[in-house]
Amino acid sequence: MHPAPSSSPPPERSGLTGVTLAAVAGSAMVLAAAVLFALLPGPLSEAREFRAARSCAEIGGSAVENGDCLAEWPATVVSTETGRTRKAASNWVTLDPGAGEPPFRLRMRGYGPVWEKLTPGDRVTVFTWRDKVWGLGAGELRQATTAKPGNTATAQLAVGLALLIIGAVFLRGSGWLHRRRAIGAPPARTSQILVPMAATFIAVGVAVTAAVATDRLWLVLVVTAAGCAATWTAAVLLVRRLGGQRTS
């Protein structure tokens, strides 16, 4: 009897599929990062203008009329609530501004220090700039809302850098796999896969941390570049060392 034909694809075809998938995934990630970076100047400009804004009590004229200064006014807490999704929880507070104006809701950034202490009837201070309520104050405490200028820029920069790093690694890996397949090299060792993956995760962590920790774009890029260079250099040295130990 002849053995039944195997349903699994031949190694050559399977290897080519892996190379193609890595190239496609890497290209998609790099393209998505490029789109995020192309949309970044607007949020970055808004964040710079917000940081440069002065208190409405210090200035007057057109800045106050246009809302280009930092204003504050009192409101009363109507209710607080927490909304939950699969990924995270969101904290909301409903405020009554008085003077016949309708109540409105704010989504707070994080749990404290203001939101966790609020109860219905509390008097709070609302901080606004242009048409955005960017913060809420209770006594000496202050907490940002998710509408605070700079949040969007930080998120776009962090996600864009993460996608760019991972996408570049996928593209580099697809080229590496294609060359090994072309010369008939033996299958890659486990260390040749796991070590670069670990280095990539560390590099992404450095980039995201830098984007969150500072609003200086040049500093974020310098720290990200240094983190990528250091982690990938260490990964190359470690892979070579592990390969030498295996063959010795």
Side-chain angles (χ1 to χ4, degrees):
M1 295 180 61
H2 295 283
S6 175
S7 60
S8 60
E12 294 81 2
R13 184 177 177 182
S14 178
L16 182 59
T17 301
V19 171
T20 303
L21 289 177
V24 171
S27 299
M29 290 181 185
V30 171
L31 179 60
V35 172
L36 289 176
F37 291 148
L39 299 175
L40 194 57
L44 284 177
S45 177
E46 182 185 57
R48 285 193 298 268
E49 293 172 0
F50 171 72
R51 292 194 300 271
R54 297 169 57 191
S55 171
C56 293
E58 300 176 1
I59 58 178
S62 60
V64 176
E65 295 176 1
N66 297 332
D68 287 332
C69 57
L70 302 174
E72 55 184 77
W73 38 273
T76 303
V77 176
V78 176
S79 64
T80 60
E81 60 182 296
T82 299
R84 297 189 179 277
T85 63
R86 293 181 178 179
K87 295 183 178 180
S90 55
N91 300 316
W92 297 83
V93 55
T94 301
L95 299 175
D96 181 5
E101 296 292 331
F104 61 96
R105 297 175 75 215
L106 295 175
R107 184 178 178 182
M108 305 303 296
R109 186 177 183 182
Y111 287 91
V114 174
W115 185 86
E116 61 185 1
K117 298 181 180 297
L118 295 180
T119 57
D122 288 349
R123 296 287 288 176
V124 294
T125 302
V126 179
F127 300 99
T128 61
W129 177 71
R130 294 181 179 173
D131 60 343
K132 293 178 170 47
V133 178
W134 63 268
L136 201 63
E140 298 298 324
L141 303 176
R142 184 177 296 187
Q143 183 178 346
T145 70
T146 55
K148 182 178 180 180
N151 292 346
T152 300
T154 297
Q156 284 186 212
L157 183 58
V159 174
L161 289 173
L163 288 174
L164 180 61
I165 293 171
I166 298 174
V169 171
F170 268 76
L171 290 175
R172 176 69 177 85
S174 67
W176 178 73
L177 289 173
H178 179 70
R179 287 192 298 272
R180 290 179 62 86
R181 180 176 177 275
I183 64 176
R189 302 189 306 273
T190 302
S191 61
Q192 291 178 303
I193 304 297
L194 295 183
V195 173
M197 285 178 57
T200 300
F201 288 137
I202 294 173
V204 169
V206 171
V208 171
T209 301
V212 173
T214 179
D215 52 14
R216 299 177 183 272
L217 180 60
W218 66 269
L219 183 57
V220 174
L221 296 179
V222 168
V223 172
T224 299
C228 290
T231 54
W232 288 335
T233 299
V236 170
L237 295 176
L238 181 58
V239 168
R240 289 178 178 175
R241 181 176 180 180
L242 292 175
Q245 290 178 351
R246 182 175 178 179
T247 57
S248 60

